Amino acid sequence: MGLATPPRELLVATDLSQPADVALTRAVQLANQHGAHITALHVLPADIDDDVAEHARRNVETHLSGRLDGASVTVAIRRGKADREIAAEAADSAAELVVVGAHGAHWPADAFLGSTAENVVRTSPVPVLLAKKRSTVPYRTVVLAVDICLASDDAARFATGLTPGADHLVIHAGVVIGENLLRMHGVGDEEIELLRRTCTVEAREYIARLIDTLPEPPKQVVITSGHPATRLVELCDSHAADLVVVGTGTRSPASYALLGSVAQQVMRRSKSDVLVVPAVKI
């Protein structure tokens, strides 16, 4: 799958809860929009025997009936820890997008660190869509969070391919790195403001180059200052966005601390759906 090519294989995790049905509804919408196939995964405890697992499969198939709107779906049953089995099934089924609910029957409603949803984002080899609002229509307004890095470029290209026809807003929110330390060492307001203007010029030039690589130009570009996660959530609200897109880097525990500074906070605080896209491995 190319970065701007819509996915043809989706994986949706379901524990038959209401939040999982929100994820299923979005997966069905995307599958029908792009002609994709869905694997619906239900994860059971590791010690469940085969008879119980087969009964669970039948329950999932019954639950899905009437909810698929013609989409092609295969049911998969795995046993083990939910986030690990979701990542494993994503690899085994060659999924190009994983869709999960904001929380499930046993997932904390505030999606704190260590919850299934965040651990899936941490471990998934492919983009993860956190579905928060039930909708049967394509995304209309999509915020593309852009930093001056390849990870956010990858995310923007993938998201524009996933959401053709939507109004895309490219948003760069940043601060002067080490501003407080600079002030402690006597750097004045005028010099700080000059640094801000320089950062803004660099961001505009970078975003202009990125836009040339997108399948369709964004409706608007916003460059603002402030804490990135806070400003992203604020701007999503003010633009009534139904999806916000963020990129991440590698998947090591150390790098996940960086995810926590932006993507993780957006996942927790945004009222919109959140698409988290890992950097493409070279």
Side-chain angles (χ1 to χ4, degrees), residues 109-212:
D110 60 352
F112 60 78
L113 178 62
S115 74
T116 298
E118 290 189 3
N119 281 336
V120 171
V121 170
R122 181 193 298 186
T123 59
S124 174
V126 298
V128 177
L129 174 60
L130 181 65
K132 297 190 175 189
K133 294 183 177 181
R134 186 187 301 272
S135 178
T136 60
V137 299
Y139 289 112
R140 296 188 178 95
T141 304
V142 178
V143 164
L144 308 174
V146 172
D147 197 359
I148 303 179
C149 67
L150 293 178
S152 63
D153 293 5
D154 295 340
R157 285 189 284 268
F158 180 84
T160 49
L162 183 69
T163 58
D167 288 337
H168 296 107
L169 285 71
V170 171
I171 293 179
H172 172 83
V175 295
V176 174
I177 297 175
E179 179 176 333
N180 291 336
L181 186 61
L182 290 171
R183 291 186 183 280
M184 288 175 58
H185 285 80
V187 178
D189 289 343
E190 290 185 4
E191 293 164 290
I192 295 292
E193 183 57 32
L194 177 60
L195 285 173
R196 287 199 185 104
R197 289 198 297 269
T198 300
C199 290
T200 297
V201 170
E202 291 177 350
R204 287 194 182 281
E205 293 174 347
Y206 189 91
I207 290 170
R209 292 193 295 271
L210 169 62
I211 288 173
D212 288 339

Side-chain angles (χ1 to χ4, degrees), residues 46-276:
D47 57 355
I48 292 296
D49 62 33
D50 291 345
D51 289 342
V52 175
E54 183 56 33
H55 180 70
R57 177 187 295 276
R58 291 194 295 269
N59 283 343
V60 172
E61 290 171 347
T62 299
H63 183 81
L64 294 180
S65 63
R67 291 177 166 87
L68 302 180
D69 193 25
S72 172
V73 177
T74 300
V75 173
I77 302 293
R78 297 182 77 107
R79 285 169 274 197
K81 194 171 184 294
D83 56 295
R84 294 176 184 172
E85 296 306 321
I86 293 170
E89 182 64 30
D92 290 349
S93 65
E96 296 161 303
L97 175 68
V98 174
V99 187
V100 296
H103 56 90
H106 306 292
W107 300 355
D110 60 352
F112 60 78
L113 178 62
S115 74
T116 298
E118 290 189 3
N119 281 336
V120 171
V121 170
R122 181 193 298 186
T123 59
S124 174
V126 298
V128 177
L129 174 60
L130 181 65
K132 297 190 175 189
K133 294 183 177 181
R134 186 187 301 272
S135 178
T136 60
V137 299
Y139 289 112
R140 296 188 178 95
T141 304
V142 178
V143 164
L144 308 174
V146 172
D147 197 359
I148 303 179
C149 67
L150 293 178
S152 63
D153 293 5
D154 295 340
R157 285 189 284 268
F158 180 84
T160 49
L162 183 69
T163 58
D167 288 337
H168 296 107
L169 285 71
V170 171
I171 293 179
H172 172 83
V175 295
V176 174
I177 297 175
E179 179 176 333
N180 291 336
L181 186 61
L182 290 171
R183 291 186 183 280
M184 288 175 58
H185 285 80
V187 178
D189 289 343
E190 290 185 4
E191 293 164 290
I192 295 292
E193 183 57 32
L194 177 60
L195 285 173
R196 287 199 185 104
R197 289 198 297 269
T198 300
C199 290
T200 297
V201 170
E202 291 177 350
R204 287 194 182 281
E205 293 174 347
Y206 189 91
I207 290 170
R209 292 193 295 271
L210 169 62
I211 288 173
D212 288 339
T213 72
L214 299 180
E216 54 187 78
K219 179 181 180 181
Q220 186 177 355
V221 174
V222 177
I223 297 178
T224 184
S225 61
H227 185 272
T230 299
R231 292 298 290 137
L232 281 172
V233 172
E234 292 172 349
L235 289 166
C236 282
D237 288 345
S238 64
H239 287 90
D242 41 17
L243 177 66
V244 56
V245 183
V246 292
T248 66
T250 60
R251 284 292 188 263
S252 68
S255 70
Y256 193 63
L258 299 177
L259 170 64
S261 68
V262 180
Q264 190 182 75
Q265 291 185 48
V266 171
M267 288 172 63
R268 295 176 180 182
R269 296 164 56 187
S270 174
K271 299 174 185 176
S272 312
D273 289 2
V274 181
L275 175 64
V276 183

